Amino acid sequence: MDKGIQAYFFGLLLAWSSASQLDAWCTYPMAYTQKNDVFLPYMRDVVRSEQSLRELNLMWRMIESSAKMNYLAETKSILQTMAATRAGFDQLEQELVASLVHEKCANVLMEIGTKAHYVIDIVVRNLYERTADVGFLATDRDLCEFVAGVQGDAEAIHHRLLAYRSKYTVYDEIMLLDRNGNVLMQIDEHSEVEGSIDPLIGQTLASGRYVETFRATDLRPGKDKALIYSQRMLHPETGEVVGILCLCFDFEQEMKGIFESHRDPDERSNMLLLDGENRVIASADALWVPVGSIVPVNRDGSANLMMFGGRKYLVQTFGADGYQGYMGPSGWQGQVMIPVEVAFLDGGDPTLMSLDPAIVAGLLSHAQTFSPPLYKIMQAAETIQRVVWNGQVMAAGKGDNLVQLKSVLEQISETGNRSNELFSQSIGNLYETVLSSSLRGAEFMSHLLVDLLDRNLYERANDCRWWALTPALRNALAVPARTGDMVRHITGILTYINSLYTVYTRIFVYDRSGRIIAGTSLVQGGEDRFIVGTTIEHDTLDAVLSLATEQDYHVSPFAASPLYGGSPTYVYHAAIRHPDTPHTIVGGIGIVFDAAPEFSAMLHGGLNGKSGTTAFFIDRCGCIIASTDPSRPVGTFLDVGSDILRQENGCSTSTIMIHDDRYASMGCTVSNGYREFKVSDGYQEDVIAVVFESFGEVRESRASGNRAATVIEQNSPDRSGRQFATCFIEGDLYALPAEQVLEALPGADLIPNSMSGFIGRVGMVALERQGEEKKFIWVFDLGYMARGRLSEITHTSQVVVVRHGQKSIGLLVDELHGVPEFPDELISPTPFALAADDALVPQVIKGNQDGLLIQVLNLDYIYRSLEAGEMPCMPEAVMEAAA
């Protein structure tokens, strides 16, 4: 190799390894890098990678020392190459370890953060329904008359309260009190409370709305704390305050259900509900983190370890976002804590091991978008691999008679191959960590969404059954003729209910013939398009008239309904029974769920503004019930595969797939019901929640090189041969005579040109050699020569600069491989060339005992063709075979 070129190249390497360039590699601030020492002891896989990197780094240093000890004039340039390689290796080692630590911490924080957010969100949504319940039940005429002393049938009132409890199973006690706090009626047979002097009595009597109380109270003497919703009751005739209704929420049982449904199955973490003073009010494992403990919180999501009970934890804390304007009890927070010693014991996602290689390659091409640290490390690794490759090229053909130099060069080659393999493995670990985080996040999000839906619709089933027991409705439908005043009274009742329960667009009642006699509408602007006198569907009426008990209900299929402006929704129905003969059905009540905004709020709330993510509710046929994707409206079909549609109830899965011509992670969960809803009440309507996180558009699948799979077995020391610079084109190995190769430059250095020319001339690169002026050379697409189609320039693309006489050109290749040596007996003519001088590939090399075929490129033919204004190409037979 020309000494001027050598000097230029080594100068370039030293410049590349300069402090300014190394600083540009840094991805994370020093403050985060310092945290590696905190987290590394708990990341065994990262520690193993770090140890392997350090061992290789030590190997480079030993080789460098060996070259210095056996100093020859020929080793001077080699020492410079190794100095540059080692400097880059040092930086890459730091970047890889820092990136792995960062991604693993981010993964854990994302996972526990999603669960912490879910804890408070689901509690607030549940308690919002309680605020509506107490407001409605406190106006129940029968209950108000009893508290006012107008009627004294205690047995009937007790039965009525039990009926309410049987439908709203979230309550463990319902109490009626007079103005002095004396208990007039309660349903908990295990608790006999005669009266109360709790301050909530006075607060409730003085308030025009509900009062929310969570603390110890003499109304629930067997509990350390009770969550009670109370509201004053008025005399049905005079409007005078006569007493109080208390709905006691079954807080412990509800929290147990939340924790059991969504806690880490390996029980590595603990889910908590905290009050405004950071005190634990509910714990998934009270032996681990007791109720009443004050715990450290992490509201800003920082990756800091926090101490509690002598252990270090990663913590995520979220306050309430609110639901329908309701923020929940003051200061309540959801929190998840995971001990750092078990936080990173995840064994990885097996889904990634079975991915189509084309999808893996396509995803990696978008690394700059979905994981900038991964992309930077991939670039850095390619830079080091290029330096090693260039060093091997420069050393090719030298030292045949110098044993010391030969030994150094062999060590460089061997260590370079090991470095490449380790880089690939470490990048693969980082890649797997990033994608595993996305998969787990999508899967858990789908679990959250379908749980929100089941819990919400559970309330709808309760509402229709309870409102069907309203005495005024039963009395009105029991008489053959209804007066205008009676209808107006019924409409007033329905309007009041609808004002409390805004998740319904209409509530209506109908007689036994299905004729609607009264109803409400919340249409904006006051226009009521609801027409009294129309009839419900015949199939729906038959189903309602067939309901056996007051615990039964009917839900229309999710379909377009004139009661919802022609849009699809669920309509819940319950039978209204005769007040004297409950087995006689005199009509029914229907409640029209406001599906579009309610489902949309669930999906968007669950996604929490995460970009590039869409969510759906679909049925077992794949028909969309709700969507955050404007291009896929309700009623269209989502192709998720038959296996997903056939999953068992409660099952969650995740995978990487192609969705809408984009690479995406998909998580899905099939509904499993809530309490008795869809579990034991006879209603079956499975819904599947599906979440997609997009990574980027699908790119044309081109086979990529695999250094690990194409490691070439080298000659024994006593056998000599020819050295070739090898590279990949669409996964196939090609070889160039090493003595004709100058260097490789990154594909990113390619300067496209708009000058006229033939296809395959893709641009220029600048050559800057020490002591010489910058000059530009043409670059030609070697992939176009070999395959007949232009190559796509990616982060692995390289420009191989070759020399023919005094002329140099660049050849664009997909990826570099190595600089192996082959004896002449392994090199044979290709059967496709009539004349070796007129073929792009006149020879092939049979490596690894005929297990690897490498095509040798003819640079003389390439230069002659280009000088004649023609593009070199493979024979048609070869082109067809390759296609």
Side-chain angles (χ1 to χ4, degrees):
M1 180 177 291
D2 181 82
K3 293 186 181 297
I5 296 177
Q6 283 189 16
Y8 154 75
F9 182 67
F10 293 129
L12 179 63
L13 287 174
L14 291 173
W16 166 77
S17 63
S18 67
S20 59
Q21 180 66 31
L22 292 178
D23 288 343
W25 277 18
C26 293
T27 306
Y28 304 106
M30 183 60 66
Y32 186 83
T33 304
Q34 292 172 347
K35 291 185 178 179
N36 291 353
D37 293 337
V38 175
F39 291 106
L40 267 177
Y42 308 104
M43 299 179 179
R44 298 175 184 174
D45 53 341
V46 182
V47 170
R48 287 193 293 268
S49 295
E50 184 187 38
Q51 288 173 343
S52 298
L53 287 165
R54 286 183 176 176
E55 288 173 5
L56 272 178
N57 200 338
L58 179 61
M59 286 296 299
W60 282 114
R61 292 178 182 274
M62 291 175 63
I63 294 171
E64 186 177 8
S65 298
S66 176
K68 289 178 179 179
M69 292 171 61
N70 298 282
Y71 185 80
L72 299 168
E74 290 84 352
T75 62
K76 180 178 180 181
S77 58
I78 301 299
L79 285 171
Q80 292 175 306
T81 303
M82 286 189 295
T85 302
R86 181 173 50 77
F89 199 101
D90 286 340
Q91 186 64 31
L92 183 56
E93 176 189 334
Q94 296 174 30
E95 288 292 317
L96 275 171
V97 173
S99 295
L100 283 167
V101 170
H102 171 78
E103 292 296 343
K104 285 182 175 291
C105 285
N107 192 350
V108 172
L109 289 172
M110 179 279 298
E111 186 172 346
I112 66 174
T114 301
K115 293 183 178 182
H117 193 271
Y118 163 77
V119 170
I120 186 62
D121 188 49
I122 204 67
V123 168
V124 168
R125 284 172 174 266
N126 193 320
L127 298 186
Y128 164 76
E129 301 284 351
R130 314 294 63 92
T131 67
D133 289 350
V134 71
F136 169 69
L137 193 59
T139 64
D140 184 276
R141 188 176 183 88
D142 285 5
L143 300 183
C144 288
E145 287 181 347
F146 176 77
V147 173
V150 176
Q151 66 97 353
D153 190 347
E155 184 177 350
I157 296 301
H158 187 261
H159 181 269
R160 185 159 178 76
L161 293 182
L162 286 176
Y164 189 85
R165 166 66 177 80
S166 67
K167 294 165 181 61
Y168 296 86
T169 55
V170 295
Y171 300 114
D172 59 4
E173 172 70 296
I174 303 174
M175 309 175 79
L176 300 177
L177 291 76
D178 65 17
R179 295 184 58 173
N180 296 317
N182 298 311
V183 176
L184 304 176
M185 182 64 63
Q186 65 180 117
I187 63 170
D188 185 357
E189 59 185 16
H190 302 293
S191 175
E192 296 183 1
V193 179
E194 295 183 356
S196 172
I197 58 173
D198 194 290
L200 76 82
I201 305 297
Q203 295 170 7
T204 305
L205 292 173
S207 175
R209 59 193 300 270
Y210 71 88
V211 173
E212 188 175 58
T213 305
F214 182 69
R215 52 176 169 74
T217 172
D218 57 7
L219 287 169
R220 301 294 284 154
K223 294 179 176 289
D224 293 332
K225 288 186 177 181
L227 181 55
I228 299 177
Y229 289 83
S230 58
Q231 186 152 326
R232 68 188 187 185
M233 305 176 72
L234 307 180
H235 194 290
E237 303 296 338
T238 67
E240 178 189 3
V241 177
V242 294
I244 296 173
L245 167 72
C246 292
L247 296 180
C248 302
F249 184 65
D250 193 356
F251 178 74
E252 292 83 1
Q253 191 64 31
E254 178 64 16
M255 294 309 303
K256 180 181 178 181
I258 292 174
F259 295 149
E260 287 181 349
S261 178
H262 295 287
R263 191 183 178 192
D264 175 9
D266 295 329
E267 299 186 353
R268 296 178 304 154
S269 61
N270 199 9
M271 303 176 74
L272 308 169
L273 185 66
L274 313 179
D275 64 15
E277 298 178 347
N278 304 333
R279 192 181 305 275
V280 177
I281 54 179
S283 173
D285 189 337
L287 295 178
W288 183 355
V289 181
V291 172
S293 305
I294 294 179
V295 294
V297 297
N298 181 26
R299 300 186 185 92
D300 60 4
S302 62
N304 294 321
L305 293 181
M306 298 184 173
M307 185 71 74
F308 174 76
R311 299 178 77 180
K312 294 179 181 179
Y313 289 84
L314 280 167
V315 178
Q316 281 279 52
T317 314
F318 283 92
D321 291 331
Y323 178 66
Q324 302 280 10
Y326 171 71
M327 298 301 295
S330 178
W332 280 21
Q333 308 162 88
Q335 177 159 304
V336 175
M337 303 172 64
I338 184 168
V340 66
E341 68 266 21
V342 298
F344 307 106
L345 295 182
D346 187 6
D349 195 317
T351 304
L352 302 177
M353 305 299 293
S354 59
L355 281 181
D356 184 334
I359 292 181
V360 173
L363 274 170
L364 276 174
S365 71
H366 289 287
Q368 188 173 15
T369 300
F370 73 84
S371 180
L374 174 59
Y375 179 74
K376 285 184 175 293
I377 287 172
M378 289 164 60
Q379 285 185 311
E382 289 296 335
T383 301
I384 292 179
Q385 288 157 359
R386 184 171 60 254
V387 170
V388 173
W389 191 87
N390 283 339
Q392 293 170 334
V393 165
M394 284 186 291
K398 292 186 177 184
D400 291 338
N401 300 316
L402 299 173
V403 176
Q404 300 99 319
L405 179 59
K406 188 78 171 178
S407 175
V408 170
L409 296 179
E410 287 175 353
Q411 291 177 55
I412 290 175
S413 178
E414 179 184 349
T415 307
N417 290 332
R418 287 182 58 193
S419 298
N420 291 340
E421 184 177 351
L422 183 58
F423 293 156
S424 297
Q425 180 182 349
S426 298
I427 289 173
N429 291 341
L430 178 57
Y431 176 61
E432 182 177 309
T433 299
V434 173
L435 292 186
S436 292
S437 174
S438 177
L439 286 171
R440 281 196 293 270
E443 183 175 323
F444 185 79
M445 188 60 65
S446 69
H447 194 177
L448 164 63
L449 290 174
V450 82
D451 192 34
L452 286 175
L453 179 138
D454 279 343
R455 287 169 174 270
N456 191 300
L457 298 186
Y458 157 84
E459 303 287 351
R460 314 297 61 97
N462 295 343
D463 291 344
C464 71
R465 291 180 295 167
W466 174 249
W467 298 336
L469 298 181
T470 304
L473 301 182
R474 298 175 70 176
N475 292 330
L477 290 175
V479 299
R482 283 166 289 278
T483 65
D485 288 342
M486 184 180 293
V487 171
R488 282 189 291 274
H489 179 59
I490 294 174
T491 303
I493 294 173
L494 299 181
T495 300
Y496 174 69
I497 295 173
N498 217 160
S499 70
L500 292 174
Y501 296 83
T502 55
V503 296
Y504 304 114
T505 58
R506 285 192 173 97
I507 304 176
F508 58 93
V509 295
Y510 47 92
D511 61 21
R512 186 174 174 81
S513 69
R515 178 177 176 272
I516 298 173
I517 63 172
T520 68
S521 175
L522 294 182
V523 178
Q524 294 296 323
E527 179 186 359
D528 188 353
R529 294 176 292 170
F530 188 89
I531 301 175
V532 173
T534 59
T535 58
I536 65 173
E537 299 88 346
H538 181 72
D539 292 346
T540 298
L541 180 61
D542 285 347
V544 172
L545 296 178
S546 300
L547 296 174
T549 71
E550 64 180 33
Q551 285 295 102
D552 298 313
Y553 62 95
H554 170 73
V555 187
S556 66
F558 188 82
S561 171
L563 299 172
Y564 194 52
S567 297
T569 189
Y570 292 115
V571 181
Y572 288 75
H573 296 263
I576 297 177
R577 301 172 184 275
H578 195 285
D580 300 325
T581 55
H583 296 296
T584 302
I585 295 176
V586 294
I589 184 170
I591 55 179
V592 182
F593 181 58
D594 197 3
E598 291 299 318
F599 284 158
S600 178
M602 289 182 207
L603 294 178
H604 283 96
L607 295 182
N608 201 26
K610 188 173 184 180
S611 62
T613 307
T614 54
F616 305 86
F617 289 133
I618 63 174
D619 63 19
R620 284 287 192 181
C621 297
C623 184
I624 295 175
I625 294 172
S627 166
T628 64
D629 182 355
S631 68
R632 279 195 165 82
V634 175
T636 59
F637 284 84
L638 184 67
D639 184 12
V640 293
S642 57
D643 291 345
I644 299 297
L645 299 177
R646 291 197 300 265
Q647 281 189 140
E648 294 183 1
N649 293 92
C651 285
S652 296
T653 57
S654 58
T655 188
I656 299 291
M657 64 182 301
I658 294 176
H659 171 68
D660 283 348
D661 295 324
R662 300 178 71 84
Y663 303 107
S665 60
M666 180 190 73
C668 60
T669 302
V670 184
S671 60
N672 198 35
Y674 169 64
R675 292 183 176 263
E676 69 279 359
F677 177 67
K678 291 186 181 179
V679 176
S680 60
D681 62 1
Y683 175 52
Q684 184 68 36
E685 180 75 9
D686 293 338
V687 175
I688 304 173
V690 183
V691 175
F692 291 100
E693 181 181 1
S694 174
F695 297 114
E697 73 278 1
V698 172
R699 291 174 172 164
E700 182 180 357
S701 177
R702 299 283 181 89
S704 60
N706 187 334
R707 295 186 183 94
T710 53
V711 174
I712 297 174
E713 299 173 5
Q714 294 294 287
N715 299 331
S716 59
D718 59 343
R719 297 177 66 189
S720 62
R722 296 171 55 192
Q723 287 185 281
F724 292 87
T726 54
C727 57
F728 288 104
I729 299 175
E730 294 190 16
D732 293 329
L733 267 180
Y734 288 80
L736 291 161
E739 65 272 11
Q740 291 183 269
V741 177
L742 298 181
E743 61 178 307
L745 301 173
D749 287 357
L750 181 65
I751 305 170
N753 74 93
S754 57
M755 300 175 60
S756 60
F758 44 84
I759 299 176
R761 189 167 66 185
V762 291
M764 297 179 290
V765 291
L767 295 183
E768 298 184 65
R769 300 172 183 172
Q770 192 172 33
E772 298 183 14
E773 293 184 1
K774 179 194 296 186
K775 72 174 185 177
F776 293 88
I777 62 171
W778 288 112
V779 177
F780 300 88
D781 188 348
L782 192 54
Y784 182 75
M785 299 179 196
R787 288 290 182 264
R789 55 179 177 265
L790 292 173
S791 301
E792 179 183 357
I793 298 178
T794 69
H795 71 94
T796 64
S797 298
Q798 308 287 334
V799 175
V800 177
V801 180
V802 296
R803 180 181 59 188
H804 188 267
Q806 298 302 313
K807 297 180 180 179
S808 298
I809 62 171
L811 298 175
L812 179 65
V813 302
D814 292 341
E815 192 174 354
L816 301 176
H817 177 255
V819 188
E821 183 177 325
F822 299 98
D824 291 339
E825 58 264 29
L826 297 182
I827 306 172
S828 59
T830 176
F832 301 110
L834 298 177
D837 291 340
D838 295 322
L840 181 63
V841 179
Q843 296 174 314
V844 293
I845 302 171
K846 297 179 180 180
N848 294 355
Q849 300 179 350
D850 296 343
L852 182 66
L853 188 68
I854 306 170
Q855 302 176 65
V856 180
L857 294 161
N858 185 349
L859 285 177
D860 291 339
Y861 168 70
I862 291 175
Y863 268 88
R864 285 199 311 272
S865 298
L866 293 175
E867 288 175 347
E870 300 175 354
M871 194 66 183
C873 63
M874 296 281 279
E876 289 187 7
V878 177
M879 297 283 286
E880 292 175 1

